[in-house]
């Protein structure tokens, strides 16, 4: 399988657009703890369709989250990471398997819905100042596993769970990165067995991952300088818009 063949029919301009979004998403992710899964579908779906998007982001996320963890490794909370990983491992695999059974239209509806729901869910959790203990974190992680296995953009839910468990700042970003690497490996294993890891999936995943590596370290340099609420508001608007566009396109294909 030639990885370069995965870029067939993709222009240099389109590759530049993907690369630019990958760098932006990595910086945003390094600042806020999420962003790649929410932003990348906005450029990937028009280029390759909805079906390969979750596998692409799952593979690239291992690279981006590893670099993010290296940048913030001293802040990671191992105990909470192990709680989430232990509770979410099986349901992540089940969610990924369910995703492989979807059609292109179904995949677009799932991703679009998740993107749109992620914004009000994050805002609701913040408004209510939700707090959970280790048991609550584990129970919540079971449901999170289903979402992270079968959708893109669900990282905001993990971010909210970690914050509700008492983590703050860089500890949230670092612990999120550890968990995301493990769930990413689980997802890729399921996708590989299902035969959805194609040359196109690998090509785009490696491109996104490679370009995003410096983003984590740039984010670390900016984390104390950039007002988080500004890029969060922009990201929320982009996520909702992208979700609406994807769902609209999926509904048009049905009718």
């Amino acid at each position: 399988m030639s990885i370069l063949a995965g870029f067939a029919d993709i222009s240099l301009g389109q590759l530049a657009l993907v690369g630019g979004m990958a760098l932006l998403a990595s910086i945003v992710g390094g600042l806020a703890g999420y962003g790649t899964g929410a932003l990348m579908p906005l450029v990937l779906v028009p280029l390759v369709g909805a079906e390969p998007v979750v596998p692409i982001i799952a593979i690239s996320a291992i690279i981006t989250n590893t670099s993010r963890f290296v940048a913030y490794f001293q802040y990671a909370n191992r105990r909470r990471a192990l709680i989430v990983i232990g509770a979410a491992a099986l349901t992540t695999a089940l969610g990924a398997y369910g995703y492989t059974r979807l059609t292109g239209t179904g995949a677009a509806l799932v991703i679009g819905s998740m993107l749109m729901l992620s914004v009000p869910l994050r805002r609701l959790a913040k408004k209510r100042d939700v707090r959970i203990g280790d048991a609550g974190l584990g129970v919540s992680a079971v449901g999170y596993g289903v979402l992270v296995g079968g959708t893109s953009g669900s990282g905001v839910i993990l971010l909210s769970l970690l914050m509700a468990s008492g983590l703050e700042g860089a500890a949230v970003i670092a612990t999120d990165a550890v968990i995301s690497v493990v769930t990413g490996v689980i997802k890729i294993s399921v996708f590989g067995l299902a035969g959805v890891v194609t040359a196109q999936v690998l090509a785009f995943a490696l491109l996104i991952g490679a370009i995003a590596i410096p983003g984590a370290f740039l984010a670390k340099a900016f984390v104390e300088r950039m007002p988080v609420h500004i890029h969060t508001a922009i990201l929320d608007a982009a996520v909702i818009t992208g979700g609406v566009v994807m769902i609209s396109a999926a509904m048009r294909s049905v009718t």
Side-chain angles (χ1 to χ4, degrees):
M1 178 172 60
S2 173
I3 294 179
L4 291 179
F7 292 131
D9 301 322
I10 304 296
S11 70
L12 290 177
Q14 290 170 327
L15 288 178
L17 177 62
V18 172
M21 182 63 81
L23 182 60
L24 172 63
S26 178
I27 294 174
V28 171
L31 290 167
Y34 71 102
T36 302
L39 290 176
M40 290 312 303
L42 305 183
V43 295
L44 288 176
V45 171
L47 292 181
V48 301
E51 290 178 86
V53 169
V54 170
I56 288 173
I57 293 177
I59 295 174
S60 64
I62 291 181
I63 303 173
T64 56
N65 282 306
T66 298
S67 63
R68 192 179 301 164
F69 173 62
V70 171
Y72 292 89
F73 75 96
Q74 69 266 36
Y75 302 106
N77 188 298
R78 295 174 179 81
R79 180 170 61 84
R80 288 185 174 89
L82 289 174
I83 289 173
V84 174
I85 291 169
L90 177 59
T91 51
T92 296
L94 292 174
Y97 176 74
Y99 183 83
T100 65
R101 312 304 298 174
L102 292 175
T103 61
T105 299
L109 287 172
V110 169
I111 297 173
S113 298
M114 187 64 241
L115 292 178
M116 292 182 65
L117 286 172
S118 67
V119 174
L121 284 174
R122 180 186 60 79
R123 290 181 177 271
L124 180 63
K126 182 178 180 180
K127 181 179 180 180
R128 292 181 177 272
D129 194 26
V130 177
R131 289 289 181 266
I132 57 177
D134 289 350
L137 180 61
V139 172
S140 301
V142 173
Y144 164 73
V146 177
L147 294 175
V148 74
T151 66
S152 173
S154 57
V156 65
I157 297 176
L158 177 57
L159 179 71
S160 298
L161 289 176
L162 293 175
M163 292 176 68
S165 73
L167 297 185
E168 297 179 346
V172 176
I173 299 172
T175 308
D176 173 277
V178 176
I179 296 167
S180 297
V181 168
V182 177
T183 55
V185 170
I186 294 172
K187 290 167 67 174
I188 292 170
S189 299
V190 175
F191 293 146
L193 291 173
V196 299
V197 180
T198 63
Q200 183 183 67
V201 168
L202 285 175
F204 276 93
L206 292 176
L207 172 66
I208 294 168
I211 292 177
I213 287 175
F217 296 91
L218 287 172
K220 184 181 180 182
F222 298 152
V223 73
E224 294 182 350
R225 298 181 176 88
M226 179 182 294
V228 175
H229 69 277
I230 293 178
H231 71 74
T232 298
I234 295 173
L235 179 60
D236 284 351
V239 167
I240 292 177
T241 301
V244 170
V245 170
M246 292 176 66
I247 291 176
S248 298
M251 296 304 294
R252 285 196 300 270
S253 68
V254 173
T255 58

